[in-house]
Amino acid sequence: MSLENKKEKEQEIEIPKETKKENKKENEKEKEKETKKENEIDEKLKKPTSKDYYFDSYSHYSIHEEMLQDEIRTGSYCRAILKNKALFKDKIVMDVGCGTGILSMFAAKAGAKRVIAIECSGIIEQAREIVEENGYSDIIKLVHKKCEDIVELPDGIEKVDIIISEWMGYCLFYESMLNTVIYARDRWLKKGGKIMPNKSSLFISGCLDQDFITDKMSFWNDVWGFKMNCIKKLIYLEPLVDIIDQSAIVTNSSILKSIDLNTITVEDLSFSVPFELTSKYNDNINAFVTFFTYTFDDCDEIVFVSTSPNSPETHWKQSIFYLQKPFRVQKLERMTGNFSMKPNENNVRDFDITIDYKVEGKYSKIESSQDYRLR
């Protein structure tokens, strides 16, 4: 290539100064966007809640499959509704959080005149098909909204006779729809109307998880040759939802909270209550475990369900709160404590829990407090 041609070629590919400035500005803007995005992610990680994925999670069929396959859970609603047909005959029923529509179809089968099935997640599209497939489209009207966002009910209906809802969550209140049921009750339930189930109670016991050290703690000491000890902090911070064998329960159970769906308020979801437990054996305690019961007793055919370790397994299982300071007890020894629970300030479906406990026995003298988060 000649010298003249080389100069011409360089002139052709030379980038103007203005273009360089524009490219620099664009790069700076991109960096600003990336930094802003990283900061937003950091903020979300600082405040981890289930707020963003709660309703989305219920769009997936698998979570409904698990609940429908829970014979204790689904069977209790089936019995409470179909064994009380006289209660549902020609009534207007509201199903809060209808999911696939199973409770709505139970109500329609029991003789309800109209069922208003409310669901916020995308599973309502499948619920429409299910309702139509089973021939209940004329009775069941599906509403795809948050209950709190509904301005008026279908067909000019102003009040309902019965509210049915499977609102319970892990540790009774976690990710539950109780606040929504309370809203629906206050807004649409007739005076003297029914809520099913209408009562529920939360309990606590002391237990010994024999595999805690080997399976849950020691594992993080060596994970494929790497140390991950920081994860151990989360084990003590986040309660584990799992099945506890009844043989692991060391104490009696103490009732923490009893609720009546006809009278409970949103303010009642924050509570702090004392508890007292008595040991059944000489043994160690390295965790507290909670479970709950619910009852349909405002009807002729009463149905009662317990999720305790002594009862048949349910998808709710039990909630296990591991202790950083475990202790040993003597048979018939008493321990006292306080259980505090309140909705998380960033998401009312999540809960912050504090358990205080005190033991002054033959083997242990301990007073401690531990915070947990249900996320």
Side-chain angles (χ1 to χ4, degrees):
M1 182 182 293
S2 67
L3 185 60
E4 289 182 0
N5 289 340
K6 187 176 181 182
K7 286 182 179 179
E8 288 176 4
K9 191 71 175 176
E10 287 175 349
Q11 287 175 356
E12 287 176 8
I13 63 174
E14 185 178 357
I15 300 173
K17 291 182 179 179
E18 291 79 7
T19 304
K20 288 181 178 179
K21 287 181 180 179
E22 288 175 4
N23 289 342
K24 186 178 180 181
K25 286 181 180 179
E26 287 179 5
N27 290 335
E28 287 175 352
K29 286 181 180 179
E30 286 298 319
K31 286 182 179 179
E32 285 178 7
K33 285 181 181 179
E34 288 178 9
T35 302
K36 186 178 179 182
K37 189 175 181 181
E38 287 174 0
N39 290 338
E40 287 174 354
I41 292 171
D42 287 342
E43 285 302 311
K44 286 183 178 180
L45 289 174
K46 288 176 184 176
K47 300 177 180 178
T49 74
S50 60
K51 185 176 182 179
D52 294 332
Y53 61 77
Y54 173 73
F55 287 114
D56 181 63
S57 68
Y58 282 89
S59 298
H60 300 283
Y61 82 92
S62 59
I63 193 169
H64 296 280
E65 181 180 31
E66 181 186 24
M67 291 187 290
L68 291 170
Q69 288 179 345
D70 184 341
E71 294 184 7
I72 304 299
R73 172 258 190 194
T74 309
S76 68
Y77 280 86
C78 181
R79 292 194 308 278
I81 295 171
L82 296 182
K83 294 285 187 180
N84 289 288
K85 288 185 176 181
L87 188 66
F88 285 82
K89 180 68 174 173
D90 296 326
K91 294 297 193 299
I92 297 174
V93 178
M94 176 179 284
D95 181 359
V96 179
C98 71
T100 56
I102 187 69
L103 305 189
S104 295
M105 290 189 291
F106 285 154
K109 189 175 181 179
K113 178 171 64 176
R114 172 74 74 237
V115 180
I116 301 166
I118 302 170
E119 177 59 47
C120 186
S121 78
I123 197 67
I124 197 167
E125 299 305 325
Q126 284 68 44
R128 291 187 198 281
E129 293 184 36
I130 292 168
V131 166
E132 184 177 355
E133 184 179 14
N134 288 277
Y136 289 117
S137 296
D138 293 339
I139 298 173
I140 300 173
K141 299 299 178 184
L142 292 109
V143 180
H144 189 191
K145 280 186 178 181
K146 284 180 67 176
C147 196
E148 294 84 349
D149 293 339
I150 297 173
V151 177
E152 57 182 33
L153 299 179
D155 303 329
I157 293 171
E158 296 182 356
K159 295 289 181 180
V160 302
D161 301 294
I162 302 171
I163 291 177
I164 54 176
S165 180
E166 194 274 79
W167 56 266
M168 298 78 75
Y170 302 130
C171 197
L172 186 57
F173 298 108
Y174 172 58
E175 278 198 350
S176 83
M177 293 187 61
L178 183 52
N179 54 338
T180 301
V181 174
I182 293 170
Y183 177 87
R185 177 201 68 194
D186 294 344
R187 177 79 185 273
W188 290 300
L189 187 64
K190 285 181 180 178
K191 187 176 180 180
K194 308 286 187 182
I195 304 179
M196 302 183 74
N198 61 305
K199 291 179 182 175
S200 189
S201 295
L202 179 66
F203 296 82
I204 190 169
S205 294
C207 74
L208 173 64
D209 184 349
Q210 297 278 13
D211 300 323
F212 176 64
I213 298 297
T214 54
D215 291 351
K216 296 180 178 67
M217 293 298 283
S218 298
F219 170 77
W220 300 105
N221 293 334
D222 184 355
V223 183
W224 292 88
F226 300 100
K227 296 177 181 179
M228 297 188 180
N229 288 309
C230 61
I231 302 295
K232 293 178 183 180
K233 297 177 184 178
L234 299 180
I235 295 174
Y236 289 117
L237 182 63
E238 300 173 359
L240 175 68
V241 176
D242 203 354
I243 296 294
I244 281 284
D245 192 272
Q246 58 182 328
S247 63
I249 302 299
V250 180
T251 72
N252 66 330
S253 60
S254 177
I255 192 164
L256 294 173
K257 183 78 170 176
S258 286
I259 62 172
D260 184 330
L261 272 292
N262 293 292
T263 57
I264 188 173
T265 65
V266 172
E267 289 71 27
D268 293 330
L269 299 182
S270 297
F271 59 91
S272 181
V273 294
F275 65 86
E276 183 177 308
L277 299 171
T278 302
S279 59
K280 298 187 288 185
Y281 327 100
N282 291 356
D283 213 336
N284 297 312
I285 293 178
N286 63 0
F288 289 112
V289 57
T290 62
F291 60 90
F292 63 88
T293 63
Y294 62 91
T295 312
F296 305 80
D297 69 0
D298 195 9
C299 48
D300 292 331
E301 186 75 23
I302 296 173
V303 176
F304 172 84
V305 172
S306 173
T307 65
S308 81
N310 298 319
S311 303
E313 294 180 9
T314 70
H315 79 283
W316 289 294
K317 304 177 183 178
Q318 289 90 39
S319 298
I320 309 165
F321 299 79
Y322 289 108
L323 301 176
Q324 288 180 312
K325 295 181 180 179
F327 54 91
R328 184 167 180 78
V329 290
Q330 187 179 25
K331 184 178 180 180
L332 300 180
E333 206 160 71
R334 188 173 65 96
M335 65 207 74
T336 58
N338 196 82
F339 186 96
S340 301
M341 189 173 193
K342 64 179 181 179
N344 178 263
E345 62 180 13
N346 296 310
N347 180 17
V348 295
R349 297 189 191 280
D350 293 344
F351 278 85
D352 297 325
I353 295 170
T354 299
I355 300 179
D356 304 310
Y357 59 98
K358 182 178 181 180
V359 183
E360 290 185 343
K362 179 181 178 180
Y363 301 115
S364 301
K365 296 187 186 300
I366 186 171
E367 186 170 358
S368 187
S369 179
Q370 195 166 328
D371 295 324
Y372 303 89
R373 64 183 190 189
L374 272 169
R375 300 287 188 268

